Amino acid sequence: MVCIDPAFPPTSGADLRNFGNALAAAELGPVCLVSVRPPAGPPQPPPANIRVAALTAEGEPRARALGLWRARTEARIPRPALARLEALVREFRPDTILVEGIPLFRLLRPLRPLAGQLILDMHNVESDLAGQLRSAQGSGAADARRLERKAAAIVDRIWVCSRLDREKFKALVSSTVPVDIVANGIPRAEDIPEALRAAPSGGFPSILLVGHLGYEPNIDAAQRLARDILPRIRRALPTARLTLAGRSPAPTVQDLAGLEGVTLVENPDDVGPLLSAAHLSIIPLSMGGGTRIKILEAMAWGVPVIATPLAAEGLDLVENEEVLLAASDEELAAMAIALCADPARMARQRARAHQAVWSRFGPQAIRDAVHSGLGLADEDA
């Protein structure tokens, strides 16, 4: 499995997906989890049957990158990294090579002759995501679409996160390559009590948003939540508090910690205590792609979720039972106030959401999806 950033130990959405898929694959055979970029901290021993390697080292001289031109969605890959990857593949002799998304497109052709099976894992339909981000220029989506079409002609299989992403991708690319749904699983499921815990007491309501706070869609969500939604809630519920937690917060997110009722937790080592103390998670995403790991994690802890339709896109959750959805800040705030005023309804939503996420996105569901996505179900048939 070739990733941009180290997937172990996992810290954010992409890492959590990559590592969860590696764990599932490791039940079938040895896995080599490779990153283009070096690890940030001291090495840690990986789980059984997983080997971890990096293609670059901290502090080594900057080398020429693959290709003279890169699309906006592509990651920079130093030429020595490709040479190291090719040597590693020849030594490890994998049955399957899985590459993380269009950002690593430049690796597909060199890996093609070395792979018995080559899979592209698309965390997002990048051309769709590029069209959503406000900072993207008009050519960004077109460049991503061109790479997606070229990639489909190179690989043997493609993984996507949801049924909706599969529909989007097939509408863009005329290809017979199999497109498998390997959903994002509950992150760090082994550290979460599977039984529904009691609702937290005190400090009601404690609202939580967890995510990579340097990522543009999450920056926008944090600002909406702290500057508009929370003040509306506090007018009805003066003790309402908001915690923003995540890695690498942008300066505009750091500024939010000065607002009344807002706390920022930068680079938390463990979000478990934050989730166990939260009464509610509000996720006002207005742009982004893939399925939302932060929703799965909150629901697995028994935290009710109120979100925009885009935030829950692709999860196929039952509206008004497993998740509450609204588009505007005013509606999101009103839903939060109404839910907090109805303890019986909050308890029902907690229970239904918890059951749904463990059954559909729990470890067994992801193991089955990875098994199928590797083509093993085809071999069995």
Side-chain angles (χ1 to χ4, degrees):
M1 296 180 65
V2 188
C3 312
I4 300 170
D5 292 303
F8 179 81
T11 57
S12 66
D15 309 342
L16 291 165
R17 173 178 174 82
N18 292 331
F19 184 63
N21 290 344
L23 283 177
E27 295 188 5
L28 303 168
V31 173
C32 187
L33 192 54
V34 184
S35 64
V36 173
R37 294 169 183 159
Q44 299 183 32
N49 229 22
I50 294 181
R51 171 180 171 184
V52 176
L55 303 178
T56 56
E58 196 69 44
E60 70 180 0
R62 183 180 176 89
R64 289 180 60 194
L66 295 178
L68 299 176
W69 172 89
R70 292 194 309 277
R72 188 174 290 107
T73 53
E74 290 186 84
R76 185 182 189 278
I77 305 171
R79 290 179 180 273
L82 174 59
R84 291 166 188 164
L85 177 59
E86 290 171 334
L88 184 59
V89 169
R90 291 190 176 95
E91 181 260 319
F92 190 69
R93 299 174 60 195
D95 300 290
T96 294
I97 299 176
L98 185 143
V99 176
E100 182 194 14
I102 291 299
L104 295 183
F105 172 81
R106 299 275 172 173
L107 297 179
L108 295 180
R109 291 194 189 280
L111 290 175
R112 175 67 278 179
L114 302 177
Q117 176 173 239
L118 184 61
I119 298 176
L120 177 67
D121 183 12
M122 294 184 60
H123 296 196
N124 302 292
V125 179
E126 294 291 344
S127 56
D128 180 70
L129 179 60
Q132 293 180 44
L133 297 180
R134 287 195 297 264
S135 63
Q137 302 298 319
S139 61
D143 289 342
R145 191 175 304 115
R146 178 179 56 81
L147 294 182
E148 287 163 350
R149 288 172 174 158
K150 286 187 173 183
I154 298 171
V155 301
D156 298 300
R157 307 183 80 96
I158 290 173
W159 289 4
V160 294
C161 295
S162 69
R163 174 183 51 81
L164 182 61
D165 274 5
R166 181 164 65 182
E167 292 171 357
K168 289 178 180 178
F169 183 76
K170 288 195 168 185
L172 293 170
V173 176
S174 57
S175 172
T176 58
V177 64
V179 181
D180 301 288
I181 299 173
V182 180
N184 291 328
I186 298 170
R188 296 176 280 258
E190 67 280 2
D191 298 329
I192 304 175
E194 192 166 347
L196 181 61
R197 63 185 180 86
S201 58
F204 186 82
S206 174
I207 303 165
L208 179 66
L209 176 69
V210 177
H212 190 313
L213 298 177
Y215 178 50
E216 185 177 346
N218 293 342
I219 295 171
D220 178 73
Q223 291 179 322
R224 289 177 61 187
L225 192 48
R227 296 190 182 279
D228 193 6
I229 298 171
L230 180 65
R232 291 175 186 270
I233 295 173
R234 284 175 63 89
R235 285 198 283 271
L237 300 167
T239 59
R241 297 172 295 115
L242 169 65
T243 299
L244 305 171
R247 143 172 118 169
S248 307
T252 51
V253 175
Q254 293 174 341
D255 293 342
L256 299 175
L259 300 177
E260 187 174 6
V262 179
T263 299
L264 174 63
V265 180
E266 298 188 33
N267 306 307
D269 293 328
D270 183 5
V271 296
L274 299 174
L275 285 158
S276 66
H279 299 103
L280 192 63
S281 180
I282 302 178
I283 305 175
L285 279 185
S286 59
M287 50 184 158
T291 52
R292 312 309 193 263
I293 287 180
K294 59 182 71 65
I295 288 183
L296 303 180
E297 189 167 37
M299 290 169 60
W301 277 94
V303 180
V305 172
I306 299 175
T308 56
L310 182 66
E313 187 179 74
L315 291 174
D316 293 329
L317 297 171
V318 179
E319 189 175 354
N320 296 323
E321 291 188 15
E322 298 166 355
V323 66
L324 298 180
L325 301 178
S328 71
D329 294 350
E330 183 178 8
E331 291 173 309
L332 290 166
M335 279 186 169
I337 294 167
L339 187 63
C340 290
D342 191 342
R345 184 185 178 197
M346 179 174 277
R348 286 195 303 272
Q349 187 178 337
R350 290 183 72 239
R352 288 169 178 165
H354 181 268
Q355 192 280 329
V357 76
W358 278 100
S359 63
R360 289 159 46 198
F361 302 97
Q364 185 58 55
I366 302 308
R367 282 194 291 268
D368 291 344
V370 168
H371 189 274
S372 178
L374 288 170
L376 300 181
D378 298 345
E379 292 180 13
D380 293 342

